[in-house]
Amino acid sequence: MGSVPALNSTKPTQIPTQEEDSQNPSTALLSFDTDSSDPSNPPRKHTTTIIFISLLLITCIALSAASAFAFLFFSSASSSSSTPAQKSSHLETTSRPLTKLNRSVVLLISSDGFRFGYQFKTPTPNIHRLIANGTEAETGLIPVFPTLTFPNHYSIVTGLYPAYHGIINNHFIDPLTGEFFTMGSHEPKWWLGEPLWETVANHGLRAATYFWPGSEVHKGSWNCPEEFCMFYNGSVPFEERVDKILSYFDLPSAEIPLFMTLYFEDPDHQGHQVGPDDPEITEAVAGIDRMIGRLINGLEKRGVFEDVNIIMVGDHGMVGTCDKKLIFLDDLASWIDIPAEWVLSYTPVLSIRPPHGVAPWSVVGKMNEGLRSGKVNNGKHLKLYLKEELPSRLHYSASDRIPPIIGLLEEGFKVEQKRTKRQECGGAHGYDNAVFSMRTIFIGHGPEFARGRKVPSFENVQIYNLVTSILKIQGAPNNGSLEFPRSVLLPSPK
């Protein structure tokens, strides 16, 4: 929050100088004749004039004093009306000391599909408590492209763009081996980079994961230890997940994991079914807020709430989609035939790998010609690229796993192979990460975060270095900036 501006003080009334009197008729009453030799000017007139001036001086002094008092009073009132978060935000210059824990702890929470702005759909007192007493990305957290669940969750914990950590989509094919990656693939060969739980384990420290894409993978020094690494099971109630995290704080101090993850599927689940503006979303957001409240209450009962660095994020946003915003590949038949076997994903990232002998550049040229012709329904809302020619800000070319042809769809549009009679409206994500509806949330609360602070939006690849900075451990090379944590975290006391 910004500080309350000080009220302007009223300037004290000033007695005009003699030079001003001679030029200003309105002050003539203040001048008086001192020539007592003039018989037409009796002593009584002198006495009256002196009394008048004395009263005027007293009045001016009183007005000045009243103005000064009013200034001090209202300035004090404005200052006292500031929230505790406002006050401490200006006063805090270093991170706050721990009161119960022996070392810094980071709890990373993901609410899947929590679009930026959802926090205002319904009262969310617990989320807003974290915001008011913590640090928030003022206009949301920027996901990486493609704005999909697995690529973004893994970027958050590795600090790498998908082209470098290997999870380039929720589903894809390795062109070298022909093997398929699915969200149930736990073989280390798919998961490149070094996720935070592995980094923590490399330092001989304990981590715990209650669901997070990639956390089940045995990789490097991380072997997904029992009781501290939960295999994904979407049927586990949210309350049970929260309570398990809380139970770690009942362990002896030396055994408490220093890094933990907690994952909720909502409100992504509802968003796909009904879009971002349905009452079901409101209910889902309220449910997430209750879980945050359950977590806060549990930490407070254990006396560690103010010691734990909570980072709450989402992986992407959500936008509404309907059948009227469809593009059909079969409508391009006059220019080029795109068989379904060429297409690896349709929406919102159109990914095409033509067979050997078919030049990708030729496919792109013919498809764009048809889309620009005005004869393909909604064609102007899709543009095809060779992956090397995608906007560099997307960082989506430096991997063989990325198909050679990528189509970028405008917000809310979908691609399908052929026309059907199906009619539906729902929600989707995966679009260009420059689209504002794809933004999600970032909230940091705890001793390393200033209270009531707003920071500019940033990409989620920066979070890896934030966590390693809080834990004071050496991280692996990544796409984030080593300087970035200084712009978000409070410095340590000297």
Side-chain angles (χ1 to χ4, degrees), residues 9 39 87 101 238 295 343 384:
S9 61
K87 289 182 179 179
L101 297 178
F238 290 175
L295 175 69
V343 183
L384 275 297

Side-chain angles (χ1 to χ4, degrees), residues 81-134:
S81 66
S82 300
T83 64
Q86 284 178 301
K87 289 182 179 179
S88 58
S89 178
H90 295 297
L91 294 175
E92 288 175 321
T93 56
T94 60
S95 57
R96 300 180 290 280
L98 303 177
T99 59
K100 188 170 182 178
L101 297 178
N102 295 330
R103 284 198 60 170
S104 294
V105 171
V106 175
L107 171 56
L108 179 62
I109 305 171
S110 170
S111 178
D112 201 320
F114 199 114
R115 173 175 164 170
F116 180 76
Y118 277 1
Q119 66 269 37
F120 305 115
K121 275 186 168 291
T122 187
T124 52
N126 300 297
I127 292 174
H128 275 87
R129 180 178 175 183
L130 297 181
I131 293 172
N133 295 288

Side-chain angles (χ1 to χ4, degrees), residues 353-364:
R353 188 183 297 278
H356 292 293
V358 178
W361 62 266
S362 176
V363 175
V364 169

Side-chain angles (χ1 to χ4, degrees), residues 270 273-274 278-285:
Q270 295 83 358
Q273 295 179 334
V274 297
D278 192 270
E280 284 191 37
I281 295 295
T282 304
E283 295 174 11
V285 170

Side-chain angles (χ1 to χ4, degrees), residues 281-345:
I281 295 295
T282 304
E283 295 174 11
V285 170
I288 294 297
D289 188 72
R290 286 193 295 273
M291 293 305 103
I292 298 301
R294 187 183 186 95
L295 175 69
I296 292 174
N297 291 338
L299 293 174
E300 285 184 323
K301 288 178 181 178
R302 291 163 173 81
V304 296
F305 175 54
E306 294 297 338
D307 279 4
V308 178
N309 292 284
I310 297 173
I311 298 177
M312 182 176 181
V313 299
D315 53 346
H316 53 70
M318 186 70 67
V319 68
T321 58
C322 279
D323 281 342
K324 65 180 180 179
K325 291 187 174 182
L326 290 178
I327 302 166
F328 301 100
L329 294 184
D330 283 357
D331 289 352
L332 291 168
S334 297
W335 293 268
I336 184 172
D337 181 35
I338 306 294
E341 302 81 55
W342 294 13
V343 183
L344 303 182
S345 68

